[in-house]
Amino acid sequence: MRARPVILHLDLDAFFTAVEQLHKPSLRGKPVVVGGVRGRGVVSTASYEARVFGIRSAMPTAEARRRCPNAAFLSPRFEAYRDASHAVMDLVRELTPLVEQVSIDEAYLDLTPQHPQADVGLVGELVGGLRARIQARTGLTASVGAGTSKLVAKIHSDLAKPDGQIVVPPGEEAERLAPMAVRAIPGVGPATAARLTAHGIATVGRLAALDLDEVVALLGKAHGTQLHAFARGEDDREVVTERAAKSVSAESTFETDVTDRVRLAEHVRRLTDRVGERLRADGLSGRTVVLKARRHDFSTLTRSTTLDQPTDADAVVLRQALRLLDGLDVADGLRLLGVGVSGLSLYTQPDLLDGLLDDRPGPVRTGTVEDDDEFVRPDAGGGALPVEEPAGPGDEAPAADQPAPRSPWRPGQDVEHVEHGRGWVQGSGVGRVTVRFEGPNTEVGRIRTFAEDDPDLTPADPPVWQPEDAADEAAGS
DNA sequence: TCTGGGGTCCTAGGACCC
DNA sequence: TCTGGGGTCCTAGGACCC
């Protein structure tokens, strides 16, 4: 806990619907619901006008329609929301560089660098100025809580909604929290609240009065310890500006439950494509492939398998995901399928290059080699090495007991034909080899082909690869 | 027309190693 | 030669958040 109320939590009010009302004036002042508009959709955001009818986030859209048939029901337009979010976060970063964006419409700020001595009055002025600028420049309203910790800031941005702000004076944390319902603490959901209530603990004050041992016995070590501290207003968490992704996944719910394995397999392939595209666009590869299934009764299963080497190749992920699907009983029907990859690593891990760098170290480049590229493996005497074809959509799924074919490439191998730098095989998968580059005139990006005569690789005309190119390419353009 | 889609973190048991 | 104990990895499930 800090001595001064320098931690802020900013939350945009009814963000998705606010953007829609901004773009379409006829929606202003009317009930608007953004979410899944089809059969099994749920509400993402309800405008304040729609909340009057009892419509809430996560409510089935069908229920929302019953409550307010005349509301506008819109599918989300994430690109518009991302643009608006960027505009807001740019303004936020003018106040402090210590910004932790936790979702598209929420961020924590730490004012310490600019205003280490800020008091309640100054913080109130700064927050008021920020909110006014956000409204003037984007048309959106934001609510802000401020205090000595993330916990206090977060709880009070909620209380300030809509279009308000609360700065909690240092020292008042515990007494303000005490009368609140336990559900007000972030991390206390329906299950934890029910468990606490069953033991007669309804308020934060009651929770704070318990011994640590009692809370841990009730809620487990990690959760119990944290909630015990939170209930007392104690929270030392830092504002973290960068956070590495831990997993990438895609999932979707069927209109009606599906039992047909052919349809399920086809769906797994589409999900795998989406995951693979995003892995490659972000320069990531992962070792663990996860298949998620939700059954007709809403129970959820996960099956996972871990590879020897990280991969970002669709064919590798697909083979594993189909194997996992084979092991599932689908006779009663599935309502959802998901594919994920975790155990992620960045292709560009500087420590792997230690001792291998050129005399003139340049920026690092990460690339992917397609199966039609010719490679010369140094220990193979200069012969071209075949790379196995990736499985096509029409290929049969391999038998469950058949081990995945291994790529002939091994991490650490040198790639000789790169003329203006050096390359090493870093990640390897069947049909796709990831190569790491170090040399002048390179930038982080994606490399499509690596034929020796590739004009992009001639020293006379050094390539300039932009991350945007990589994203476009991964998107299939 | 009950219950989306993208994540994070934790727990617990078994395997395996020393 | 009736049985230890710690550490790590893997897998499955669940709570929670926006």
Side-chain angles (χ1 to χ4, degrees):
Chain A
M1 252 185 320
R2 296 120 186 118
R4 298 186 170 271
V6 288
I7 306 300
L8 275 51
H9 182 257
L10 176 139
D11 200 334
L12 294 165
D13 301 323
F15 179 53
F16 292 0
T17 55
V19 173
E20 297 297 343
Q21 287 172 325
L22 212 54
H23 287 192
K24 211 170 171 193
S26 65
L27 295 175
R28 294 178 194 171
K30 304 224 174 92
V32 178
V33 176
V34 170
V37 297
R38 294 192 301 175
R40 286 173 161 173
V42 300
V43 174
S44 292
T45 309
S47 70
Y48 284 94
E49 297 87 348
R51 293 182 196 187
V52 172
F53 296 87
I55 299 174
R56 296 285 181 271
S57 294
M59 173 183 283
T61 301
E63 169 70 15
R65 284 189 201 277
R66 275 194 293 276
R67 289 177 183 249
C68 185
N70 294 325
F73 289 88
L74 308 175
S75 292
R77 297 184 301 131
F78 285 104
E79 266 183 44
Y81 309 150
R82 260 190 289 274
D83 290 347
S85 175
H86 278 141
V88 170
M89 294 304 160
D90 285 348
L91 292 171
V92 167
R93 289 194 180 86
E94 288 176 9
L95 192 59
T96 172
L98 287 188
V99 177
E100 176 177 346
Q101 192 172 347
V102 287
S103 74
I104 197 165
D105 65 347
E106 251 184 77
Y108 289 102
L109 288 67
D110 185 343
L111 300 181
T112 303
Q114 269 70 21
H115 305 282
Q117 301 302 319
D119 58 10
V120 171
L122 176 58
V123 172
E125 285 173 31
L126 293 169
V127 169
L130 174 63
R131 291 176 49 240
R133 285 193 296 281
I134 290 172
Q135 175 140 36
R137 301 263 283 273
T138 70
L140 297 165
T141 64
S143 297
V144 175
T148 54
S149 68
K150 284 181 160 181
L151 172 78
V152 168
K154 166 86 177 161
I155 289 177
H156 286 83
S157 71
D158 223 40
L159 293 175
K161 278 183 170 298
D163 196 15
Q165 64 183 64
I166 296 174
V167 184
V168 177
E172 293 186 11
E173 295 83 2
E175 77 184 73
R176 283 188 178 242
L177 265 44
M180 297 181 188
V182 288
R183 197 73 168 74
I185 300 179
V188 177
T192 305
R195 182 168 288 198
L196 289 171
T197 308
H199 285 77
I201 304 153
T203 65
V204 177
R206 288 291 309 277
L207 183 57
L210 296 181
D211 285 338
L212 175 60
D213 292 351
E214 297 176 86
V215 185
V216 168
L218 210 53
L219 303 176
K221 177 148 181 156
H223 206 199
T225 305
Q226 184 173 59
L227 289 189
H228 185 256
F230 279 4
R232 292 165 150 74
E234 298 164 5
D235 174 21
D236 284 327
R237 291 173 299 161
E238 298 286 340
V239 171
V240 180
T241 54
E242 300 275 338
R243 197 165 270 152
K246 300 264 167 69
S247 66
V248 173
S249 66
E251 65 184 51
S252 70
T253 297
F254 302 112
E255 284 291 303
T256 55
D257 296 356
V258 174
T259 55
D260 179 6
R261 283 194 179 273
V262 175
R263 268 190 71 195
L264 293 170
E266 175 57 20
H267 201 69
V268 164
R269 191 190 60 76
R270 279 197 293 269
L271 294 168
T272 299
D273 286 351
R274 281 160 57 188
V275 170
E277 274 182 18
R278 285 172 44 209
L279 285 174
R280 295 187 293 275
D282 294 344
L284 297 169
S285 54
R287 284 185 62 216
T288 302
V289 176
V290 185
L291 183 78
K292 173 176 170 180
R294 180 163 285 151
R295 294 188 283 205
H296 66 289
D297 63 355
F298 214 71
S299 60
T300 304
L301 302 174
T302 61
R303 294 292 180 267
S304 66
T305 184
T306 298
L307 306 161
D308 288 345
Q309 297 292 335
T311 184
D312 67 357
D314 293 351
V316 178
V317 176
L318 179 61
R319 179 179 305 112
Q320 300 304 327
L322 289 175
R323 252 193 47 209
L324 296 170
L325 177 64
D326 276 345
L328 242 46
D329 176 9
V330 301
D332 288 337
L334 300 183
R335 63 177 289 140
L336 170 146
L337 266 180
V339 172
V341 172
S342 60
L344 299 182
S345 48
L346 227 42
Y347 285 151
T348 47
Q349 289 174 17
D351 55 324
L352 290 177
L353 284 179
D354 285 351
L356 295 171
L357 299 183
D358 276 352
D359 293 343
R360 304 166 298 154
V364 169
R365 186 159 89 176
T366 299
T368 302
V369 178
E370 303 288 357
D371 51 88
D372 57 350
D373 298 331
E374 286 204 345
F375 257 58
V376 179
R377 191 169 64 174
D379 59 17
L385 194 75
V387 179
E388 187 172 331
E389 287 281 315
D395 290 358
E396 274 185 30
D401 58 343
Q402 187 182 331
R406 298 290 293 271
S407 164
W409 296 95
R410 290 290 168 263
Q413 282 174 2
D414 269 36
V415 179
E416 277 195 330
H417 70 274
V418 180
E419 296 176 11
H420 61 289
R422 297 185 54 173
W424 301 267
V425 173
Q426 184 165 342
S428 66
V430 175
R432 188 178 284 278
V433 177
T434 299
V435 177
R436 195 186 149 80
F437 282 85
E438 174 65 37
N441 304 319
T442 59
E443 303 217 357
V444 175
R446 183 160 295 282
I447 297 157
R448 191 175 63 252
T449 61
F450 272 98
E452 271 190 88
D453 56 356
D454 189 329
D456 280 342
L457 290 175
T458 60
D461 186 17
V464 179
W465 294 83
Q466 301 294 340
E468 284 75 16
D469 297 340
D472 290 345
E473 205 173 290
S477 59

